[in-house]
Amino acid sequence: MAKVLVVTSGKGGVGKTTSTAAIGAALAQAGQRVVVIDFDVGLRNLDLVMGAERRVVFDLINVVQGIAKLPQALIRDKRLDNLWLLPASQTKDKDALTEEGVGRIIKELRTNCDWILCDSPAGIERGAMLAMRHADEAIIVTNPEVSSVRDSDRIIGMLDSKTARAEKGERVEKHVLITRYDAARAARGEMITIEDILEILATPLLGIIPESQDVLRASNVGSPVTLNNPASAPARAYLDATKRLLGETVPMLVPSGRKGLMNLLLGRRAA
Amino acid sequence: MDSSVEPTRQLIRLRGRSYVAFVFTPVVPIVGWLEEIDATLARSPDFFVGKPVVLDLSAVDLSQSAVVHLVKSIEQRNIRVLGFEGVDAAHLDASMPPLLTGGRHCAPQLAVAEKRETKPQLTSLLLDSPVRSGQSVIFTEGDVTVLGSVGSGAEIVAGGSIHVYGTLRGRAMAGVNGNSSARIYCQSIEAELIAIDGYYQTAEELDADLRSRPAQARLDGKIMRITPLN
């Protein structure tokens, strides 16, 4: 029986799609059968990040509406044969998603794979609600800045009240994933600290992904960062986070990054 | 010697006691009135079980045979007639229930019993998880206690006081029903807005020295007093 994992945040541009692709690929590398579903109807991106944009025939909406069968719409990854993508529709409206249709797809997928990753759209509207609806676990992607943290808090509240599990009185297991963490700026006190984020969100930490050019580079070539350059700092952080997701205990490393000359000269700010 | 024992006389103790009974007031036509009783029994067959009734015949003028017939009709429906009211004593013979006088009105016992079944109203609300951004907790009946933080953009509205065993980052409105003695307590004050009985203060007006400290807010006339705890 598969676990349904929603990757959500409330705020846009924090790295939901990048994280879905990276963790989805890392889980597949670990031998799990993984399906990643793009719920961002109308603004799909996961197909680009996964490098499958030229192979899309049917999409999520087609399956919801019964125009296509689920196996027809699933796109198998070219690099990992136990990783599939269910793309969103770019032309349809978000209202084309129905709760009944999404429930049917999740139910069908649950019997055939190990992990179902739902890439949520930004916001708290229909798409985001349906992406989290059937979740067993949730990754809340947060940037170290106040607006992102507050939006994450809002989303955690909804995970605790609006999901199918919450309505049955069960819990959705939640993890915070801090992305775009800039060690140099954190050292200068320009970012909200990890301790503060965790204190505000009162939710366990899954990992800290450093801000890196490697993420953008991987997106541009259509490859999850964990496949494109597994030795890079963000890829290692995603691989560690994935191990934690699978139940391993991995020490949490705060990415420090190399200090430049200016940092050495001007290391500490006077009070 | 006379061995016979004089029997001790048993004293009869007379005590008064009052009971509550249903009073039936039949109206003409009696047949129509009996149909009404049947309709009640159809809805709840056990309604009159163990509840003897008194017949108040003041609204009708019945002959003796008619009274006998009425009592029979009622007893056929498994309702016991305890006595009569408002009827000439000459109409009743020894085999019929007695004439009662001096009855007083009282509220039907049923309503009292129903009230007891409802739960006693809660006067406080306990939340043992954090209140997240966008959540709104409204409890006008009394105090609200939160074991956790109240997130930025969250809202607590209470008729009584508000206690937050965590950081208060959102809005807290206490004493919304005009309770000016309500107070707000928190482990760490970073509130966006604090209000008691309609008098409010925003984060901007909050004393910078108080920020992130345990604090208490109360109303002193029209002035909001926010003081550190300890």
Side-chain angles (χ1 to χ4, degrees), chain A residues 13-180:
Chain A
V14 293
K16 285 181 294 297
T17 301
T18 304
S19 299
T20 307
I23 292 172
L27 282 169
Q29 277 176 308
Q32 306 276 316
R33 285 170 302 163
V34 183
V35 174
V36 291
I37 308 178
D38 193 349
F39 273 86
D40 204 345
V41 177
L43 286 170
R44 72 170 185 221
N45 278 323
L46 191 58
D47 54 332
L48 290 171
V49 177
M50 301 279 294
E53 75 277 11
R54 293 199 285 175
R55 294 194 287 142
V56 175
V57 182
F58 295 111
D59 57 44
L60 179 64
I61 300 293
N62 293 148
V63 182
V64 164
Q65 293 177 337
I67 293 165
K69 291 255 180 334
L70 188 56
Q72 291 179 292
L74 287 172
I75 303 169
R76 182 177 283 211
D77 192 86
K78 281 190 169 170
R79 295 145 296 206
L80 296 164
D81 59 8
N82 51 344
L83 175 64
W84 289 268
L85 165 72
L86 181 54
S89 168
Q90 185 72 346
T91 51
K92 301 284 186 345
D93 193 74
K94 263 188 188 136
D95 295 333
L97 273 181
T98 62
E99 174 161 0
E100 185 267 326
V102 172
R104 205 181 60 232
I105 291 172
I106 299 276
K107 196 178 169 195
E108 194 175 335
L109 285 174
R110 266 187 201 270
T111 52
N112 298 320
C113 60
D114 302 313
W115 290 86
I116 302 164
L117 269 65
C118 303
D119 181 22
S120 170
I124 51 172
E125 273 77 48
R126 192 184 185 84
M129 287 296 112
L130 287 174
M132 70 167 66
R133 182 76 197 152
H134 302 278
D136 304 311
E137 294 194 30
I139 292 179
I140 299 106
V141 182
T142 306
N143 288 170
E145 48 148 330
V146 283
S147 56
S148 173
V149 174
R150 191 211 264 177
D151 290 359
S152 294
D153 194 38
R154 177 98 165 98
I155 282 291
I156 294 171
M158 300 189 126
L159 284 165
D160 286 340
S161 59
K162 299 274 164 67
T163 53
R165 270 187 169 242
E167 283 171 10
K168 279 190 283 179
E170 296 169 20
R171 284 188 64 240
V172 173
E173 203 179 317
K174 301 177 292 285
H175 316 271
V176 168
L177 183 70
I178 297 173
T179 54
R180 311 197 69 168

Side-chain angles (χ1 to χ4, degrees), chain B residues 199-222:
Chain B
Y199 294 97
Y200 67 88
Q201 230 180 46
T202 58
E204 214 166 63
E205 298 159 298
L206 200 70
D207 197 341
D209 296 340
L210 276 170
R211 291 216 143 246
S212 308
R213 290 179 64 185
Q216 169 190 195
R218 65 191 168 86
L219 209 55
D220 181 7
K222 290 182 177 180

Side-chain angles (χ1 to χ4, degrees), chain A residues 18 49 209-220 223-225 228 232 234-235 238:
Chain A
T18 304
V49 177
I209 315 299
E211 171 86 60
S212 167
Q213 287 298 316
D214 290 304
V215 174
L216 188 65
R217 223 172 279 143
S219 294
N220 285 341
S223 170
V225 69
N228 192 48
S232 65
Y238 274 122

Side-chain angles (χ1 to χ4, degrees), chain B residues 19-39:
Chain B
Y19 295 90
V20 176
F22 279 126
V23 177
F24 277 359
T25 312
V27 288
V28 280
I30 297 290
V31 178
W33 179 80
L34 283 169
E35 275 169 12
E36 281 296 319
I37 300 271
D38 286 333

Side-chain angles (χ1 to χ4, degrees), chain B residues 79-118:
Chain B
I79 302 169
R80 296 288 303 277
V81 178
L82 181 71
F84 286 96
E85 250 191 337
V87 67
D88 193 343
H91 278 40
L92 306 173
D93 60 43
S95 66
M96 301 225 317
L99 185 68
L100 300 173
T101 51
R104 278 173 301 168
H105 275 289
C106 71
Q109 218 174 5
L110 265 164
V112 178
E114 272 169 19
K115 249 185 199 169
R116 264 192 223 129
E117 278 167 23
T118 62

Side-chain angles (χ1 to χ4, degrees), chain B residues 22-24 33 36-53 74 77-80 110:
Chain B
F22 279 126
V23 177
F24 277 359
W33 179 80
E36 281 296 319
I37 300 271
D38 286 333
T40 307
L41 285 170
R43 279 197 301 273
S44 44
D46 296 338
F47 192 80
F48 293 109
V49 169
K51 292 184 190 114
V53 302
I74 292 174
R77 289 166 173 79
N78 274 329
I79 302 169
R80 296 288 303 277
L110 265 164

